[in-house]
Amino acid sequence: MKEKKDKPVKKPWGGRFKDEMSPSAERFTSSVQFDQRLYKEDIIGSMAFAKSLHKVGVLSTKEAKSLLKGLQEIFKDIEQGKVKFKKELEDIHMNVEHLLVEKIGDVAKKLHTGRSRNDQVTTDLRMYLKNEIAETINLITKFQIALLDIADKNIKVVMPGYTHMQRAQPVLFSHHIMAYFEMLQRDKERFSQTYSRTDHLPLGSAALSGTSFRIDREALAKELGFHEVTLNSIDAVADRDYVIDYLSAASIFMMHISRLSEELVIWSTYEFGFIEIADAYATGSSIMPQKKNPDIAELARGKTGRVYGNLIALLTIMKGLPLAYNRDVQEDKERLFDTVDTVKSVLFIFEEMVKSIKINADVMKEGAHKGFLTATDLAYYLVRKNVPFRDAHEIVGKIIAYCEDSNMQLDYISIPELRKFSDKFSFDAQTVISVENSIKTKDLIGGTAPDRVSEAIKQGRKKLLKELKG
Amino acid sequence: MKEKKDKPVKKPWGGRFKDEMSPSAERFTSSVQFDQRLYKEDIIGSMAFAKSLHKVGVLSTKEAKSLLKGLQEIFKDIEQGKVKFKKELEDIHMNVEHLLVEKIGDVAKKLHTGRSRNDQVTTDLRMYLKNEIAETINLITKFQIALLDIADKNIKVVMPGYTHMQRAQPVLFSHHIMAYFEMLQRDKERFSQTYSRTDHLPLGSAALSGTSFRIDREALAKELGFHEVTLNSIDAVADRDYVIDYLSAASIFMMHISRLSEELVIWSTYEFGFIEIADAYATGSSIMPQKKNPDIAELARGKTGRVYGNLIALLTIMKGLPLAYNRDVQEDKERLFDTVDTVKSVLFIFEEMVKSIKINADVMKEGAHKGFLTATDLAYYLVRKNVPFRDAHEIVGKIIAYCEDSNMQLDYISIPELRKFSDKFSFDAQTVISVENSIKTKDLIGGTAPDRVSEAIKQGRKKLLKELKG
Amino acid sequence: MKEKKDKPVKKPWGGRFKDEMSPSAERFTSSVQFDQRLYKEDIIGSMAFAKSLHKVGVLSTKEAKSLLKGLQEIFKDIEQGKVKFKKELEDIHMNVEHLLVEKIGDVAKKLHTGRSRNDQVTTDLRMYLKNEIAETINLITKFQIALLDIADKNIKVVMPGYTHMQRAQPVLFSHHIMAYFEMLQRDKERFSQTYSRTDHLPLGSAALSGTSFRIDREALAKELGFHEVTLNSIDAVADRDYVIDYLSAASIFMMHISRLSEELVIWSTYEFGFIEIADAYATGSSIMPQKKNPDIAELARGKTGRVYGNLIALLTIMKGLPLAYNRDVQEDKERLFDTVDTVKSVLFIFEEMVKSIKINADVMKEGAHKGFLTATDLAYYLVRKNVPFRDAHEIVGKIIAYCEDSNMQLDYISIPELRKFSDKFSFDAQTVISVENSIKTKDLIGGTAPDRVSEAIKQGRKKLLKELKG
Amino acid sequence: MKEKKDKPVKKPWGGRFKDEMSPSAERFTSSVQFDQRLYKEDIIGSMAFAKSLHKVGVLSTKEAKSLLKGLQEIFKDIEQGKVKFKKELEDIHMNVEHLLVEKIGDVAKKLHTGRSRNDQVTTDLRMYLKNEIAETINLITKFQIALLDIADKNIKVVMPGYTHMQRAQPVLFSHHIMAYFEMLQRDKERFSQTYSRTDHLPLGSAALSGTSFRIDREALAKELGFHEVTLNSIDAVADRDYVIDYLSAASIFMMHISRLSEELVIWSTYEFGFIEIADAYATGSSIMPQKKNPDIAELARGKTGRVYGNLIALLTIMKGLPLAYNRDVQEDKERLFDTVDTVKSVLFIFEEMVKSIKINADVMKEGAHKGFLTATDLAYYLVRKNVPFRDAHEIVGKIIAYCEDSNMQLDYISIPELRKFSDKFSFDAQTVISVENSIKTKDLIGGTAPDRVSEAIKQGRKKLLKELKG
């Protein structure tokens, strides 16, 4: 595709320059192709700034009204797809200013008084990110509700719990699902703390030293919905911590998603057979007619790398930059936008997809009965008969070896056989190695006993409700 | 160096195994060479756990006392360097248990009842990290005090402020220093939030499903100084978010340090000459007799990469791990320890080093006068005469071009010359382009006007005081 | 912008599926929005594959001709912008097949015989990457020629060489420039080795086990311009090493660019003043009329982070993936495309930009005379008089301290003064501390002596010529 | 542990310094605690350099002999553990020089003539790395031999091949193993190319501009076993590409290991049951007596993150560093050493461990028969009867759906049933869906047909033999 050549436009900063910028340099430095995403924030920010300029007398009432009206119209024009942004004007800020001059004439040239793109862009970006974080948190909550519903519906489903991917101890499937609820709860905390650190208004810092007009920054913050103002103008324009904060939170969130995805993929295998993903959320193969693949989980797992990459990109970009603003920082936006889009799209599709999953309770249950998952319970039986745990562990270890050699599951072993290993075993030994008993005895906060898990689900719902209200 | 071969030790988990572990596998999987750092936490955790076991009747009073006494003695032995840890026992946990058996006999074998290394290690690590975070925050505060002192002492020093490394506008040196105060303030907030997320006790989660003994986990948490207990046993043993949280906070902190380091290096160049680092914190060259190098700043800048690497290591390790515990996670400790050591050593040396720096106020001041740094102020002069800013910018741009061609600084231009560019210029134009005036007019929150900077320093001290008290 | 809803299209793999894919799942998994970039390679690959199918009798001559004609027409249609790709068809492969069915009817359904998207996509991607690497290498060569020209033109320019950013020893500016020539030479070697590893044809591996039709893969490779065929079908579809190879090479290349960029930024400062970047490749400030910023260098430095991020993304994506193909791998393309675009755009603009730089030879020269850069030469003077170097270093160190205290440059010190530090100093001592002498004595391979640098430039040109011919 | 305080040692570069270095700065900047690993290379390098100094007349024959003898003795002393390195002397270079002065007196002070630590350290590091790469390649070859042996021994074992972790098509287990052989072959190529780029001698570049003594660098290279000399002295001391090259190659290698590890872990699950890892290479659980965990594979998978982290560390460290040497670069060694140790330890243990694995051929074989793995072959049956592949795919898709609904494997379906879906099916249809036939038909280069796999193993052995000879 050929790019059409726009007519040369005078640079708004061109006074001291004798030669025009080379078109290749324009292409290389231009950001409007991606920062146009900030048009709304840019215009709202400019409107509030115009009011501030009016208050300090830089703009007359008439001028201010003209600016506000012009900006509103430009907003509408953009929304209606009437505007074609120009690369030669570099970025969304200069494009909007240029549109404004075209619309309302010379008064538009007053808008940028006492402001720099340095404080403008980070104000826009903070406004944008605040909205996105709020939305991200909402999407996480929705996803959590889906998980709670699954946990509720399958409260009686028993499955083998794993460590090292080896069957370890029986757990409730709902208990396993609630582990993800907890992770997501921490994710929201992180996003929410990032929100707070983003919620500081940098506008008024101008290029780096603060503006020369005594704008009331706190009033401006209120107008733009910011909770605080930044306290040092140099830091304000140099800082992108809030972007990295978001990327850090997003990376951990995606790591959680990758763990869930891995499990969904494994559980969907022929060998595990724990779940089946609905046709609507699976894909087939172009060559193998029998295939049904858990692509969404795989793709989400892959996107983890994408988000980690974006984090390392920003950390690298900011490393060793002298204060205050440097153009390197322009690279922040694409990486941030890409991450925001990834996180939201994953949340959106996962909430739908997990609801569609068919749980094969019988297969899970069978799994919990094979593989000596209650061996620890048998050891505890001995402990309760005053055998030191380490010895009990040793004894049961030998029993397991015996069972393996005899190709026998633990619940088929007879009491006389058990007594060959320790005379502490008595007729009640068989009770303790039942899967149900094993689960029931984990009866403390955080344990997998049915009552505890039900309580955890209930408390989970309460928390979400409280958050949604608060 | 040859490693001496210890006698084979029976594995505490060896019951079901028929063959001994290969020595090479022992070497590969052993962690005691680095996790011995956790001996204190491990012993304290075991002591509290023994009390819990006593309360639920697993240990008699006599047994509990014996265990507590034994553990205390082992603690002393280790502190006094009397203990040689064994690789064949894998980790600090099994080493301590083994020492205990040697010391107090079979009752020691009861200690591990209802506990797994899975919940034990993450309890130890959380205890360790909480201490280290608290110390890190203290060190940051000390470093901030050093910066406040520098800012206070040099409150009259004027310097050129930079964007794109080009002289931009005059600022107070103290204002520049206070930008770092703000960054460090955010760093502390991050570390402190990480502390809170670390402050949840996982003990009682056992292998993954919760322990079978009805231990009072909340009492245990209190005993061990934890604010909360984890709410899901599977999550509790699978989770290393708190480690990543720390590494994320440390990465941003190191990024800040790298920016300061870059500036110290640049300011120390012959060309800038803004500062001189004391002999005590500089190094020479093995070949060039004249060299005096800002090695500490350079090395700290380099260590940023180390910490970023540790972050990406942990994120990679955790990616796609199915629940609950997997051995991959053992790789968390070395990366965490390395980061903790790096962060603390940087803070320690920076606090000393910055205090030793000689500020060349005259050189900085001269820098603020050359390079047209008050051009914006001249444009604002026109703005105040009702010239739209964008036109004023253009006019002053042309004046700068004229000055450059005539090899003239801005303050040498005459009013008649100015008037060639705009008849709005009058006799008061020269006042606005003085460096002092430029600085003074940035008189709003976050601005570089002297009163504002003094106030910021004062407020900064107040905050630290409040934190230290709180 | 609203996305218009296309009519549902039957999935080419839909036979076993009962429910239609959810539109949100389609959106999430679709790749045609970015893999359409591979349309040319996809069609060329399909044409060659159709010929192979013809040779083994799967296609009649008539069928083969019809397929080839159809594919050619689709190619033209796409080139002429007549084609709208459909997300519901997932990717470029299924889109092309669908277009073919529309164009030539049922015979098109034979094209995918014995092929899978698994081997098809990696074939396309390898073809694409081979072209891009070849182009990248060409662009590097062009950039090197620009550097050689600068080195040639400024062969007499002396500058201070730096270590630790401190003036160290005088060097020729051309020698410094030639350091980058060497880095780029290694970059080309890396890219070229990546090319070789990319130059293996995977087609014929089908889904993972090899195709069932005895296609002559070596003939197919020849037809498609591949030097070798992959030797294991499972590896062939699972492997993305070549993408990571490219990203690794690109990361090191960008690191080199970041170092050059850093130097250009520093040299452009008011304080250094070594160079001036032409107006056509600099930008101004929206607020400060005097600013002229080296944005291109800054932006390129920032883009280093972007490329590092892409590398870590791919490494993360591939980590721990079981064989053979997994959908995670779909994430490779956007990261690769982004890197290719970044590398090429940087090379393109840098070649232009560096040619526009004005070298301030006088400023550089003056820099080489201030800062005791020939102190080592003075030490060597003593060495030649049989003073052990370490003692000579010590003596000259003291002379420097004396000069600094007296605020004196090294060439102003008198022989009597020198003799206060060592009686080995004689009347010829002053010669050795001239900048010219210092440079001249570095007369060995790789040294900065003028003849050596000229020779290096000459050899550099020879190498490029040989490469261009070969 | 308290660090004992050594007596202050005079810095070898201290001439111009008035104040002593602060002990904390010494601790922070010292590298001898880790770079002592280079003592051998440092001494060998110094010996060769002494000979060069002798040839150009800086050292008399007697002096040269004395130096060589002294250095040899120091080497012995270190080997015998007689030497305690001093932090105050910063690094291995200054420690060795200091030991030499102690041993042979003032003549030792001549050794550093015309050399800088800048060219010395990178010479040492290149020598070290060359040895390690050679060893790494050897270890990979040994590991490949182990894989070839496994492939040979199990040549008749059939297993299900997977894509998306879903059973896809039957393959030979040996074919699967040979996929890893191919990956390792590429790894060796990468390491070997890194070797070549490491094999350039930087010595003679001195601080940055080349040494002032006309040393014959090519002779020196020959003496030290380097194939080439570096061609630009500034680049020579600034460059760490070779370290990053190694880390890149190591990262891809570890990625391959992580994929194999993932498969070993999955295959070891109760559900898959494809393999059993020998007791000697597995570990148990401290709590669960039945557990046998594939810890080595898990740990190696985790170590992938560690190596990725080291790569990103170095890339970050080098980003944006101005030429020539900066102290940041000192951070290269620990990350490199850690990677070398990791790669070698993984190779060492994997070669042992994989040999110990028990292959459950029956389980694998059963797996290949369940899950419709020959559906594609059935589609190809139709293709051979002239049904367009896309239609054949659709028909077989419906057959699969039918089988699933009837809970039937593909080989149990009768011809009449098949004919309900297409009248092209005839009595020979059942042959094509046998696992054996499916495998046999993949009879082309890279395919899984038994003869092809045997040939691949044979060719693999040939290649290794050739490499070992070459």
Side-chain angles (χ1 to χ4, degrees), chain D residues 105-119:
Chain D
D106 271 9
V107 64
K109 296 181 179 171
K110 294 196 164 186
L111 175 60
H112 208 59
T113 314
R115 187 174 70 167
S116 162
R117 282 180 296 181
N118 296 354
D119 58 341

Side-chain angles (χ1 to χ4, degrees), chain D residues 215-257:
Chain D
I215 282 170
D216 182 346
R217 292 184 63 218
E218 281 167 337
L220 189 53
K222 215 171 167 182
E223 170 96 19
L224 287 170
F226 280 88
H227 195 254
E228 297 187 43
V229 297
T230 58
L231 297 179
N232 181 287
S233 58
I234 295 178
D235 176 50
V237 296
D239 169 38
R240 286 301 182 275
D241 284 13
Y242 60 99
V243 177
I244 303 181
D245 275 344
Y246 181 84
L247 297 175
S248 299
S251 292
I252 299 184
F253 164 74
M254 287 301 294
M255 182 265 283
H256 295 153
I257 289 292

Side-chain angles (χ1 to χ4, degrees), chain B residues 318-332:
Chain B
M318 300 306 292
K319 184 227 163 187
L321 284 191
L323 307 185
Y325 181 83
N326 299 278
R327 189 67 175 259
D328 318 51
V329 169
Q330 176 175 306
E331 288 285 312
D332 62 350

Side-chain angles (χ1 to χ4, degrees), chain D residues 86-201:
Chain D
K86 297 185 178 178
K87 277 199 181 181
E88 316 85 78
L89 288 164
E90 289 189 63
D91 51 33
I92 184 64
H93 323 299
M94 285 300 145
N95 268 279
V96 168
E97 186 175 316
H98 191 256
L99 290 166
L100 197 61
V101 174
E102 283 184 343
K103 199 173 274 292
I104 63 168
D106 271 9
V107 64
K109 296 181 179 171
K110 294 196 164 186
L111 175 60
H112 208 59
T113 314
R115 187 174 70 167
S116 162
R117 282 180 296 181
N118 296 354
D119 58 341
Q120 189 178 356
V121 66
T122 187
T123 299
D124 291 2
L125 200 59
R126 283 173 181 264
M127 287 170 70
Y128 160 82
L129 188 55
K130 280 171 60 186
N131 281 333
E132 294 293 0
I133 294 174
E135 209 175 312
T136 304
I137 290 175
N138 272 341
L139 287 169
I140 295 179
T141 298
K142 277 181 91 172
F143 182 36
Q144 284 181 305
I145 292 171
L147 294 181
L148 287 171
D149 291 347
I150 292 170
D152 252 342
K153 218 173 71 185
N154 298 281
I155 189 71
K156 287 185 187 307
V157 177
V158 168
M159 73 179 285
Y162 294 81
T163 61
H164 309 256
M165 282 283 279
Q166 295 294 313
R167 290 184 179 174
Q169 296 182 336
V171 295
L172 290 190
F173 173 69
S174 302
H175 191 53
H176 193 110
I177 289 300
M178 288 301 289
Y180 287 102
F181 178 89
E182 288 296 316
M183 294 179 215
L184 293 166
Q185 209 48 19
R186 287 194 297 276
D187 287 325
K188 285 195 298 189
E189 190 177 296
R190 260 176 228 106
F191 279 119
S192 153
Q193 290 167 348
T194 295
Y195 185 96
S196 298
R197 269 193 295 276
T198 309
D199 200 12
H200 297 228
L201 177 75

Side-chain angles (χ1 to χ4, degrees), chain C residues 43 70 98 131 148 199 242 251 271 316 334 363 405 442:
Chain C
I43 290 171
H98 191 258
N131 281 332
L148 287 171
D199 200 14
Y242 60 97
S251 291
E271 289 76 7
T316 305
E334 283 170 287
V363 181
D405 288 346
K442 272 73 178 191

